[in-house]
């Protein structure tokens, strides 16, 4: 029984070529393996592609309208019943049939299977550079890309006048050319793509001067990318059907935009956490102070350095980092405190520090491994938090 090619595409028998192409594009977007990875969708994708190839070919569509199946198997033939399928032919005839079938590989119903002139487009990849502030807030970004687009003059038909493709006279619409060689075993038949139609079985009588019958041209254009808040380097944003338009005006692939975050003068990023270094004098470290930071969200956040802060101390401010791209929850701000020791002192500063040294309770001493004042012990504890 012939397949219901119209039913596979969901169109009526009197559907126009444009209706058939539109129905196929819609189904291809829904069933493409990149969008719907299930085995059922993959099988359905193959079926609708085959239906489109049949109904976009005038000759094959005519066969369908007459109740036949242009891809069906012929009656009789084959190897059933010993060699009876060869009609009692000679040994040379038998090898002729064997080599004919082997050489044609993709034959259906005794005729060569052609490839469709209309093919789905490929996916494209481009990169988008963003500042830390842009990654933080997200939003819309305009991006210039170069991809194949539908030919503006022929609208994908490949024809200057918009006429339908004609059957290739060289291969009879099969898309294949057979070469026959004689051998002591009989005829050896090899098959290859027709060089005149490129294996499609169709030719354009009046090729479009803009796309040279390809149905697409390469153009620069601007696309708008919706960047989610918290995006970071290496993450990819998918724009459906914004990639290359396929040969013959086929449905476009997807465009993937890979984010590259520019370096920031103050902050470095570790996942959703922001790291920065602040430098305070030994007096500020001893007495305590405040440091203002210009945050990526545009706010000024004040980091409080408590009195008695030691060199190498780490301050962790919860909820002040980058937003998570999925949950929206913000990471942490991790502040590494560097205490600066003055090198060149004037007389007044030297006198003040000497007075402080006389007043301090503890002088220079050797620290044990477990001493709380040991710098290495404090660094170890900081990384274990």
């Amino acid at each position: 029984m012939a397949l219901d090619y119209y039913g596979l595409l969901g169109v009526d028998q009197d559907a126009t070529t444009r209706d058939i192409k539109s129905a196929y594009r819609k189904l291809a977007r829904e069933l493409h393996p990149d969008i719907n990875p299930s085995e059922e969708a993959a099988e359905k994708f193959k079926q609708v592609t085959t239906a489109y190839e049949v109904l976009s070919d005038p000759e094959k569509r005519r066969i369908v309208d007459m109740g036949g199946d242009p891809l069906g198997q012929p009656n009789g033939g084959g190897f059933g019943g010993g060699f009876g399928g060869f009609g009692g032919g000679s040994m040379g005839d038998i090898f002729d049939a064997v080599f004919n079938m082997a050489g044609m590989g993709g034959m259906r119903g005794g005729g060569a299977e052609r490839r469709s002139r209309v093919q789905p487009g490929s996916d494209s990849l481009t990169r988008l550079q963003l500042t830390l502030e842009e990654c933080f807030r997200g939003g819309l970004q305009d991006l210039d890309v170069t991809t194949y687009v539908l030919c503006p003059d022929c609208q994908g038909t490949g024809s200057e006048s918009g006429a339908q493709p004609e059957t290739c006279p060289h291969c009879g619409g099969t898309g294949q050319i057979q070469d026959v060689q004689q051998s002591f075993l009989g005829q050896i038949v090899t098959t290859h793509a027709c060089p005149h139609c490129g294996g499609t079985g169709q030719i354009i009588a009046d090729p479009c001067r803009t796309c040279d019958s390809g149905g697409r041209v390469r153009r620069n254009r601007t696309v708008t990318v919706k960047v989610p808040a918290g995006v970071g380097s290496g993450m990819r944003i998918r724009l459906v059907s914004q990639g290359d338009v396929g040969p013959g005006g086929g449905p476009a692939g997807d465009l993937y935009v890979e984010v590259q975050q520019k370096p920031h003068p103050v902050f470095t990023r570790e996942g959703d956490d922001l790291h920065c270094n602040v430098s305070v004098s030994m007096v500020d470290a001893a007495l305590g102070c405040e440091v203002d930071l210009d945050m990526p969200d545009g706010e000024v956040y004040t980091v409080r350095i408590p009195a008695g802060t030691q060199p190498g101390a780490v301050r962790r401010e919860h909820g002040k980092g980058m937003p998570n791209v999925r949950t929206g929850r913000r990471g942490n701000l991790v502040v590494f405190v560097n205490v600066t020791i003055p090198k060149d002192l004037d007389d007044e500063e030297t006198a003040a520090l000497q007075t402080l040294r006389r007043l301090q309770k503890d002088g220079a001493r050797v620290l044990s491994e477990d001493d709380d004042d040991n710098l290495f012990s404090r660094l170890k504890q900081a990384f274990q938090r």
Side-chain angles (χ1 to χ4, degrees), residues 263-318:
H264 194 274
V266 174
F267 298 105
T268 57
R269 184 172 177 179
E270 296 292 338
D272 295 332
D273 291 343
L274 290 176
H275 291 194
C276 71
N277 295 283
V278 299
S279 180
V280 299
S281 69
M282 63 179 188
V283 176
D284 288 331
L287 300 179
C289 65
E290 296 181 345
V291 180
D292 290 336
L293 290 175
D294 293 325
M295 302 298 292
D297 60 1
E299 300 293 330
V300 176
Y301 181 71
T302 300
V303 179
R304 290 176 172 81
I305 307 298
T309 294
Q310 301 298 306
V314 180
R315 301 286 300 169
R316 189 178 298 272
E317 310 290 331
H318 296 284

Side-chain angles (χ1 to χ4, degrees), residues 280-283 339-346 349 353:
V280 299
S281 69
M282 63 179 188
V283 176
V339 178
T340 58
I341 309 298
K343 295 181 179 179
D344 299 321
L345 302 174
D346 57 26
E349 292 171 333
L353 290 178

Side-chain angles (χ1 to χ4, degrees), residues 86-106:
F86 293 105
S90 66
M91 185 63 70
D93 293 331
I94 293 175
F95 276 98
D96 174 26
V98 171
F99 280 106
N100 187 45
M101 293 177 66
M104 291 186 290

